Amino acid sequence: MAESARSFGLDMAIHHSPMGFSYGEEVIGPVPEIRTLDQIRASLRDPTCDGPEDVYAIVMDVARLKDREELKKRMLLFGVVTYASGRLGDEPIRSQGHIHRISGHSGWSPPELYEIWQGKAIIYMQEFVADDPGRCFAVCAGPGEKVLVPPGWAHATISASPDEPLTFGAWCDREYGFEYEAVRAYKGLAWYPLLQDEHIAWQHNRNYMPGRLQVTSPRIYSEFGITDEPLYQQFIEDPARFQFISKPGMAAQKWMNFHP
């Protein structure tokens, strides 16, 4: 089964059995990397749980051929991820909690801008991976909605509907890197998402200080010039629009006052 992502600005197809992607004539991208259940067990609430053998497929640096040089010049890349349907024991299908590695060219841990393509997502984020995780947010988003994770925040992407696959695209720094060790040392992020009667409930991770989780809806990040058009289409119209992703320092004041 394949579904087209053309409506999100890229001529590519999303496959669910087996998981992966294929590209149209004007689009280039890598062979998908598959994350298996055994690879992500260390970040799960129950590392011995059952679930799909292949949890998600990821492709980094997807682009129209004509945009490749502009993306390299701006140190940007666009990634796409699709999740299997199902569950991981009592947890929904999700990514591993991580922080972005500090980029050598900017000196910042880069932000990430998500766009949901199919399914229902929760982008969970927390300020710190420390005894006190700081502010914690769970942003619930559907197709076409965007969620911005600020620099240095730990985060994970969660499928909020076990009966359907989740697919999303994201703008990232070209020197992207994922750091998992700090999160794994705390046996995960500060809040575990659990499936109860097909709905998401939240359980506090006792390895962190008690705190509050704020569940919220997506917003338009007008202070960054983002609109409700597809993210890749916005780049086509204005290649400089997402420069704050690879050069977060240019928006330093906005990050200080940021609210998801």
Side-chain angles (χ1 to χ4, degrees):
M1 179 178 64
E3 297 178 54
S4 173
R6 189 185 295 268
S7 60
F8 289 98
L10 283 165
D11 182 9
M12 58 186 293
I14 306 154
H15 301 273
H16 300 300
S17 184
M19 277 195 299
F21 307 91
S22 55
Y23 310 109
E25 290 184 4
E26 299 302 317
V27 174
I28 189 169
V31 173
E33 296 179 29
I34 306 297
R35 297 287 190 270
T36 66
L37 177 56
D38 285 343
Q39 287 175 317
I40 73 169
R41 287 188 184 279
S43 69
L44 299 177
R45 174 177 169 270
D46 177 8
T48 66
C49 72
D50 294 325
E53 181 180 350
D54 294 337
V55 180
Y56 57 96
I58 179 170
V59 287
M60 299 298 284
D61 203 9
V62 179
R64 298 188 313 166
L65 284 165
K66 63 180 68 176
D67 299 328
R68 289 280 292 167
E69 291 309 311
E70 188 70 28
L71 287 167
K72 289 179 181 179
K73 181 179 74 174
R74 295 186 179 278
M75 293 300 290
L76 290 169
L77 62 76
F78 195 77
V80 185
V81 182
T82 193
Y83 287 9
S85 57
R87 58 181 69 212
L88 302 170
D90 293 332
E91 291 186 85
I93 302 290
R94 65 176 178 83
S95 65
Q96 303 174 76
H98 63 273
I99 303 170
H100 292 158
R101 186 178 305 131
I102 292 175
S103 171
H105 74 88
S106 75
W108 286 67
S109 168
E112 187 168 6
L113 178 58
Y114 291 86
E115 177 178 63
I116 309 309
W117 286 7
Q118 60 181 202
K120 299 175 183 175
I122 300 173
I123 311 298
Y124 171 85
M125 62 187 88
Q126 64 188 54
E127 278 188 279
F128 313 111
V129 182
D131 290 351
D132 180 356
R135 294 182 293 160
C136 301
F137 295 93
V139 186
C140 305
E145 294 183 312
K146 288 85 171 162
V147 181
L148 180 58
V149 176
W153 286 45
H155 55 285
T157 309
I158 299 153
S159 177
S161 177
D163 298 326
E164 60 183 328
L166 169 67
T167 305
F168 57 91
W171 281 115
C172 311
D173 188 295
R174 182 160 287 276
E175 285 188 3
Y176 75 93
F178 305 134
E179 294 187 349
Y180 301 108
E181 290 75 14
V183 174
R184 289 174 179 171
Y186 279 87
K187 300 191 183 303
L189 295 165
W191 293 88
Y192 294 118
L194 302 178
L195 280 166
Q196 293 186 350
D197 299 325
E198 310 303 313
H199 298 290
I200 301 291
W202 296 92
Q203 181 182 66
H204 181 253
N205 179 348
R206 297 184 181 219
N207 293 294
Y208 294 87
M209 292 169 51
R212 175 173 173 260
L213 173 64
Q214 184 173 339
V215 179
T216 186
S217 300
R219 67 179 180 89
I220 299 294
Y221 301 96
S222 55
E223 71 271 32
F224 292 94
I226 301 168
T227 71
D228 59 2
E229 287 188 287
L231 286 183
Y232 200 91
Q233 184 62 40
Q234 291 185 55
F235 171 81
I236 293 171
E237 294 172 359
D238 180 8
R241 180 170 298 178
F242 300 113
Q243 198 67 69
F244 69 90
I245 297 291
S246 58
K247 294 184 177 180
M250 66 187 290
Q253 190 62 41
K254 295 173 184 176
W255 300 124
M256 290 178 62
N257 302 311
F258 182 83
H259 190 291

